Amino acid sequence: MCGQNCVRSPMAAALARHLFGRSIYVGSAGVMKGDADPFVTTVIDEIGLDVHRHRPQTLEELEENEGLGFDLVITLSPDAHHRALELTRTNAIDVEYWPTPDPTLVTGNREQRMDAYRAVRDELEQRIRLRFRPS
């Protein structure tokens, strides 16, 4: 879960699905719904994955479409973390906060911006591998 479900959480969801397939169920949502980010599509394509079908959704839309039967919510931004903690009042859900930079805030030429997205992608992949590796 992140702020707008258009950069960090879609990357994390694509990576988790790729790395762990059907052994874990992955959903993705944001506090608000943003617009799909073409840089995300590009950096995920670079590693052979596909997010073309991802459509940003809010937590409320995720709940309506899939329910909130999750054991764990991983939050990638402060606003998502606060929203996820609200869920623990009425749901038996663990919440982990993985502070993750927002690459949309990086300025510069296209390559500098792409490098920021790649750094987030690579950091998320490493954290996902470590967190969900078999015991």
Side-chain angles (χ1 to χ4, degrees), residues 81-97:
H81 187 67
H82 293 297
R83 180 67 181 93
L85 289 176
E86 292 174 13
L87 292 175
T88 64
R89 294 182 189 152
T90 56
N91 298 279
I93 298 174
D94 290 329
V95 176
E96 290 182 16
Y97 180 39

Side-chain angles (χ1 to χ4, degrees), residues 6-25:
C6 56
V7 177
R8 293 167 284 190
S9 54
M11 276 197 250
L15 289 163
R17 285 183 189 112
H18 171 70
L19 294 169
F20 295 97
R22 297 175 190 252
S23 66
I24 62 174
Y25 177 76

Side-chain angles (χ1 to χ4, degrees), residues 32-99:
M32 301 178 299
K33 181 167 42 176
D35 296 319
D37 187 317
F39 285 166
V40 170
T41 304
T42 301
V43 300
I44 292 297
D45 281 349
E46 287 176 349
I47 60 170
L49 303 180
D50 183 8
V51 293
H52 288 95
R53 291 187 308 233
H54 173 76
R55 298 294 172 257
Q57 65 180 342
T58 64
L59 183 61
E60 292 74 22
E61 290 170 322
L62 177 66
E63 180 176 21
E64 183 179 306
N65 295 333
E66 300 179 37
L68 291 179
F70 297 95
D71 298 317
L72 173 66
V73 174
I74 296 174
T75 59
L76 306 173
S77 67
D79 52 341
H81 187 67
H82 293 297
R83 180 67 181 93
L85 289 176
E86 292 174 13
L87 292 175
T88 64
R89 294 182 189 152
T90 56
N91 298 279
I93 298 174
D94 290 329
V95 176
E96 290 182 16
Y97 180 39
W98 296 359

